[in-house]
Every structure is written in C-alpha cells, then in structure tokens.
Amino acid sequence: MVSRPAHGKRRTACRPRPHPGELPEDNRGAGGRALRQSALNSWQGIQAEIRRRIADRVWRPGDQIPGEADLAAEFGCARATVNRALQGLADSGLLERRRKAGTRVALDPVRKATLEIPVIRLEVEAAGGEYAYRVLQKEIVSAPAPVAEKMDLSPGVDLVHLRGLHTADGDPFLYEERWVNLDSVPEFETADFTSVSPNEWLVRNQPFTRGEISFLAEAASSEQAAALGAAEGAALFAIERTTWNADAAITHVRLAYRQGYRMSTEI
Amino acid sequence: MVSRPAHGKRRTACRPRPHPGELPEDNRGAGGRALRQSALNSWQGIQAEIRRRIADRVWRPGDQIPGEADLAAEFGCARATVNRALQGLADSGLLERRRKAGTRVALDPVRKATLEIPVIRLEVEAAGGEYAYRVLQKEIVSAPAPVAEKMDLSPGVDLVHLRGLHTADGDPFLYEERWVNLDSVPEFETADFTSVSPNEWLVRNQPFTRGEISFLAEAASSEQAAALGAAEGAALFAIERTTWNADAAITHVRLAYRQGYRMSTEI
DNA sequence: AAGTGGTCTAGACCACTCC
DNA sequence: GAGTGGTCTAGACCACTTA
C-alpha cells in the first residue's frame, strides 16, 4: 500500500470551512430542527436565509440586495453557491435580477404556480381507484375550422375524432374529446385503446417538442353531462391541450373533469 | 509591479477548448441558425441536444442514458455543465434521476405546467385595459367553519370579510371574496382600498412564507352573476388561495373570473 | 461496496446593461 | 466604460441508493 500522511481523509484544497465545529450548532439554531442540506453555507441554507430576510422585511420590496460577491463573502462560500441560491429565488418570482443593475426584491412578485399534470391513469391510481378508459365514439372527420385553427392546420385535413371516458372504480372521472392528426401519427388510426388510453398511447409513441395548455371552466354539454353523471350546464373544470412535434400538429384534446374536481398546488 | 509572463491575456488554467476553430461551424450546423447561448458546450446547447435525442427516439422512454461523466467527455465540457443541463430536464419531468441508478428517460413524463399569476392590475393593464377595483361589501365576521378550516384557524376568530370587483375599462373582470386574519394583519382593518386593491395592499405590506392555491370551476352565484354580468349558474373559472406567514394564517381568497376567461401557458 | 448524481470551490471569461 | 450577473472549468467530497 502507498503510505499516506496520517491525517487520512484528505480535504480538497479549496474548502476552508471557517470553524469546523460550529456548523452543527448553527444548524440547530436555524429554526429548531437540524436539516441535513440546510447548512448555512449550502445553497439551500442561503436561500432560506434570503427568504427570511425578505419575510422579516430586512430587505423590502424594491430594495436592491448585496451583490453575489458580497453575499459570498458574508456567508463564507463561493459565488457560484450564492448564484445558485439567488437564481432559484428569481425563478420563483421573489427576486428580479438584471446584469449591472443588480438583484432586487420583486415589487410585484408574480406568483408562479407549478401544476403537475400526471398521466390520468396514475392520478386515478394515486387516489386509490381502479382506472379504466372507454371509447365512446371514434370517427374520421374533416378538421372543423376552430380545431384546425388551434392546431395550425388548414381546415379540411383528415383527423381522428375520438370521444372517451376515464373512470375510477367505474365512476366517471374525466370526459375526453380528442382530435389526432393522421399525417403526423398514421399508426394512431389502428391503435387499440382497450388496455391503453389514447393519452398514454401518444405519450409512449409520439414525442412532442412544443405544446400549449389552457385551464378553463365550461358548462357541461348534454353529452358530457350524461357521461359524467352531472346536470347539463354544470360547471366543469377543463384542460385544453395542443401539442406539436417540430411544427407538425399531433393532437388537440379537451379534458372535462368530473364535477367538483380541483387542481391544487403549493406556492 | 510584479513582473508577469509575456503572454498577456492569461487564460484560466482549466479551459482547453478542444479545437478553437470548430465551434462556430458546429454552431451553424446545429439547426440552421447560430444561437448565441446554444453552443454545443453550453448547458443550453447540451440540453437541446438531449431533447433532440429523446424526440428522435435515440433514447426511448425508460432507457438509461449515459452518466454525467460520459456525457461531459462526449461534449467536451465539465461535468457541472452536463449536470446543469440534465437537472433542468429532470425538473421539467422529461428525465428521472436517481443516485447510483443513473438517469433515465421518463416513462410517464409528468407534464408540469407553470402558471404565472400576476397581480391583477398588471394583468388588466397588460391587456391594454384601465384597471379599477371597487369594494362591494366590507364587514367583520366570526370565521365561518369552512373558512376557518381552510385557514387552520379555530372557528369564531374575527376576520375581515370583503367582497369586491376588479374591472377592466369599467367591464367586470374578476369577482373577489376575501377573508383576512386581523390577528396577523391588524392594519388591514383601516386600510384604504380606493387606489390599491386588497390584493396589492397585502402583497406590499404582508409577506408570506407558505401558500396553497387551487384552480376550479364554479357555478356563478346570483351575486357573482350580477357583479360579473353573467347568467346565474354560468361556469366560471376560479382560483382559491390561502397564505400563511410562519403558520399564522393571513388571508383566504376566492377569485372568480369573468365568463370565458382561461389561463394559458406553454409546455 | 461501489457507482452515480448532488454540491461546493476558486478562479476566470463573458454578456448584458446602465451610466 | 464599468459593474453585475451568467456561465464554465477542473477537481474534490459527499449522500444516496442499488447491487
């Protein structure tokens, strides 16, 4: 074996942690519980401290905060670590950063809510239900003008038009109306949706590079009402989504959720 | 002055770009247009290339992709750069990463939609309208059970209950019903909402550390219908939001948008 | 036990923007 | 022109997880 200096575990040259014994205590002091990744010189710890200063109005909306170099010096860490912390806060709308102008606490913080829209089957199963999908109607149609417009297609192109119902333990969960561009996905015409929903089929078989998604409320049509077991005209939460693969439209779909459905997230 | 070697502009020790002359050409070749930040060895360029390989099914859903070290070698960049590129893709749900297990193309990519919810005034003004807010009703009430539950308060606490209407060029835009915890924000009781809406007042005067937000559809109540100029029972898109500052509830608000409103984003 | 991602550092150059 | 954030590098240690 190669002989090694006695201080076995060699620290990297550039990591002179200020006072080796202090971190655990500081950690506990930071709020009652010792978080593994929230040491004061970790990016998460710095982020938490910045959040605290904004919440405690040490830095007020509109204020310019110290530059990355200053903060790095204060926290005893590399500038890249401060950068990582501040970028996250800027992404979530709490800070506004501009070169030369510096970093400011946002005056009108844009609340960014990140909604996670899982594959429907997973959503149903996560809620403990047994998932199923049933085709209600399938036909090939000439693209109606409004649909063609949303898909950036010329009207009259042939599309598969599909209506279906997603259920949880047999109860209606989601009503789906979909149009699929056969020019982009010719295999879709003969796909079998007895075990896999069209949604899932497309996810697995047709990647996309771009999409638009809208959230809206709509009054249940008579067909939707019948399928979902709701009253006609009931207010339904709906999602409309269109996807393209390099400018070639793939599909346009409108999902109407069962009555009372809400989509939630934390901010 | 300290004497310096003659080769004036000193490159940092660790930046041996492979072949100095090739990058511009590679850049042009990457897709027709030379993007400033998309050189093949930038994290954005790497991200784009990974996206392309997934879209072109070079790497299929479920496949494990090469490790960061391998990719760094392939792209001729540092591992940190690859890490930055891959982390972004993991955040957007396209990749799944686990230590030791490596990085895989997501089988069921969770579609993450990031909604930006600006201060209402800014949203109206961005659409070219003139913004105004009008208080319809203001009272102090004992917290109703459902509201108290959502705010994590004991029922019976005193809250300010406020109904108001946001307008664009005089047209109804958004109906707001809000409860505010006077224990957390005593100044709210005497605040003046003739020039600043309660929403904006709170943003500027009361930071929060945690919040919940829900998106849903609701049928217009008679009061909402009257204020928004819609039919009673019309399907309205609504947002419900509750915010806390370190476990102290601040406000609970329900925003019902004018008929036909939709919230959109790109994915 | 070992492999892989997660994070950090010190230093450097660069791009953007304000003055 | 100069200040600030954006990005990159090479190297290192560490945490987590699976074999």
Side-chain angles (χ1 to χ4, degrees):
Chain A
M1 296 299 273
V2 176
S3 88
R4 271 204 181 278
H7 52 287
K9 214 171 188 178
R10 198 166 54 90
R11 284 197 85 75
T12 172
C14 46
R15 184 173 280 202
R17 288 291 160 76
H19 304 291
E22 281 183 13
L23 286 178
E25 288 190 358
D26 287 1
N27 230 359
R28 259 181 275 120
R33 43 181 194 154
L35 293 177
R36 210 166 312 184
Q37 293 280 11
S38 294
L40 287 172
N41 47 1
S42 75
W43 71 266
Q44 304 192 11
I46 293 171
Q47 201 173 68
E49 173 61 13
I50 305 289
R51 288 198 122 98
R52 189 194 66 74
R53 291 189 188 176
I54 294 173
D56 290 355
R57 321 214 28 89
V58 178
W59 295 330
R60 292 160 177 273
D63 284 0
Q64 180 166 353
I65 76 173
E68 294 189 349
D70 294 334
L71 290 172
E74 180 192 339
F75 290 113
C77 67
R79 186 166 78 89
T81 306
V82 172
N83 182 278
R84 165 106 192 189
L86 296 187
Q87 279 212 334
L89 294 172
D91 281 345
S92 51
L94 208 58
L95 296 178
E96 285 171 1
R97 321 191 73 197
R98 282 199 331 274
R99 285 159 150 131
K100 165 79 177 175
T103 301
R104 294 179 173 277
V105 180
L107 256 182
D108 294 308
V110 173
R111 304 271 172 251
K112 292 186 181 172
T114 301
L115 292 177
E116 302 202 348
I117 307 161
V119 171
I120 300 155
R121 175 177 59 76
L122 297 180
E123 185 175 10
V124 169
E125 289 172 356
E130 188 179 342
Y131 172 76
Y133 173 82
R134 186 169 83 246
V135 174
L136 299 178
Q137 183 194 7
K138 183 181 176 184
E139 56 178 350
I140 294 187
V141 299
S142 169
V147 174
E149 187 183 355
K150 284 182 174 159
M151 297 176 79
D152 289 337
L153 293 172
S154 34
V157 173
D158 277 349
L159 302 179
V160 175
H161 178 211
L162 200 61
R163 296 176 205 260
L165 186 67
H166 303 258
T167 58
D169 290 331
D171 295 329
F173 184 81
L174 175 66
Y175 179 90
E176 170 180 320
E177 182 160 18
R178 180 185 295 271
W179 286 266
V180 178
N181 184 3
L182 284 178
D183 285 345
S184 299
V185 207
E187 312 84 12
F188 189 85
E189 190 173 355
T190 54
D192 171 34
F193 301 125
T194 52
S195 62
V196 181
S197 76
N199 184 24
E200 226 162 331
W201 189 94
L202 284 167
V203 164
R204 293 183 195 278
N205 293 278
Q206 179 58 57
F208 66 88
T209 56
R210 182 168 65 89
E212 277 179 17
I213 187 164
S214 294
F215 304 86
L216 55 121
E218 66 179 353
S221 68
S222 58
E223 213 176 282
Q224 288 174 326
L228 290 170
E232 192 170 339
L236 303 179
F237 180 79
I239 296 180
E240 199 176 273
R241 185 166 59 200
T242 312
T243 52
W244 290 266
N245 192 17
D247 293 337
I250 297 170
T251 187
H252 173 73
V253 63
R254 187 133 174 179
L255 307 167
Y257 283 82
R258 69 178 195 282
Q259 213 170 348
Y261 179 88
R262 59 168 61 197
M263 198 159 259
S264 299
T265 190
E266 304 223 329
I267 50 177
Chain B
M1 297 291 275
V2 177
S3 87
R4 271 202 181 281
H7 50 287
K9 209 171 189 181
R10 199 166 56 89
R11 282 196 85 75
T12 172
C14 45
R15 184 173 280 206
R17 288 291 160 76
H19 304 289
E22 282 183 13
L23 287 176
E25 288 189 0
D26 286 1
N27 228 359
R28 259 180 276 120
R33 43 181 194 155
L35 292 176
R36 209 166 313 182
Q37 293 280 10
S38 295
L40 287 173
N41 47 0
S42 75
W43 71 265
Q44 304 193 14
I46 292 171
Q47 202 172 68
E49 173 61 13
I50 305 289
R51 289 197 121 99
R52 189 194 66 74
R53 292 189 188 176
I54 294 174
D56 290 356
R57 310 190 71 65
V58 179
W59 295 331
R60 291 161 179 274
D63 284 359
Q64 180 166 352
I65 76 172
E68 294 190 349
D70 294 335
L71 290 172
E74 179 191 340
F75 290 114
C77 67
R79 186 166 76 89
T81 306
V82 173
N83 181 277
R84 164 104 187 180
L86 295 187
Q87 279 214 330
L89 294 172
D91 281 345
S92 51
L94 208 59
L95 295 178
E96 284 171 3
R97 321 192 73 198
R98 282 195 336 273
R99 285 160 151 130
K100 167 78 176 173
T103 300
R104 294 180 173 278
V105 179
L107 256 182
D108 294 309
V110 174
R111 305 268 174 256
K112 291 186 181 171
T114 301
L115 291 177
E116 302 201 347
I117 307 161
V119 171
I120 300 157
R121 174 178 59 77
L122 297 181
E123 185 175 11
V124 169
E125 288 173 357
E130 188 179 343
Y131 172 76
Y133 172 83
R134 185 169 82 246
V135 174
L136 299 178
Q137 183 194 8
K138 183 182 176 184
E139 56 178 348
I140 294 188
V141 299
S142 169
V147 174
E149 187 184 354
K150 283 182 175 160
M151 297 176 80
D152 288 336
L153 292 172
S154 34
V157 173
D158 276 349
L159 302 179
V160 175
H161 178 211
L162 201 60
R163 296 177 204 260
L165 186 68
H166 303 257
T167 57
D169 291 330
D171 296 329
F173 184 80
L174 176 64
Y175 179 90
E176 170 180 320
E177 182 160 18
R178 181 185 292 273
W179 287 267
V180 178
N181 183 3
L182 285 178
D183 286 345
S184 299
V185 208
E187 313 84 13
F188 189 84
E189 190 175 355
T190 54
D192 171 33
F193 301 126
T194 52
S195 62
V196 181
S197 76
N199 184 24
E200 225 161 332
W201 189 94
L202 284 167
V203 164
R204 293 183 194 278
N205 293 278
Q206 180 58 56
F208 66 88
T209 56
R210 182 169 63 89
E212 278 179 17
I213 188 165
S214 294
F215 304 85
L216 55 122
E218 67 179 353
S221 68
S222 59
E223 212 176 283
Q224 288 174 326
L228 290 170
E232 192 171 338
L236 303 179
F237 180 78
I239 295 179
E240 199 177 272
R241 186 166 58 197
T242 312
T243 53
W244 291 266
N245 193 16
D247 293 336
I250 297 170
T251 188
H252 173 73
V253 63
R254 187 133 175 179
L255 307 168
Y257 283 82
R258 70 178 194 282
Q259 212 171 348
Y261 180 88
R262 58 167 61 197
M263 198 160 260
S264 299
T265 189
E266 305 224 325
I267 51 178

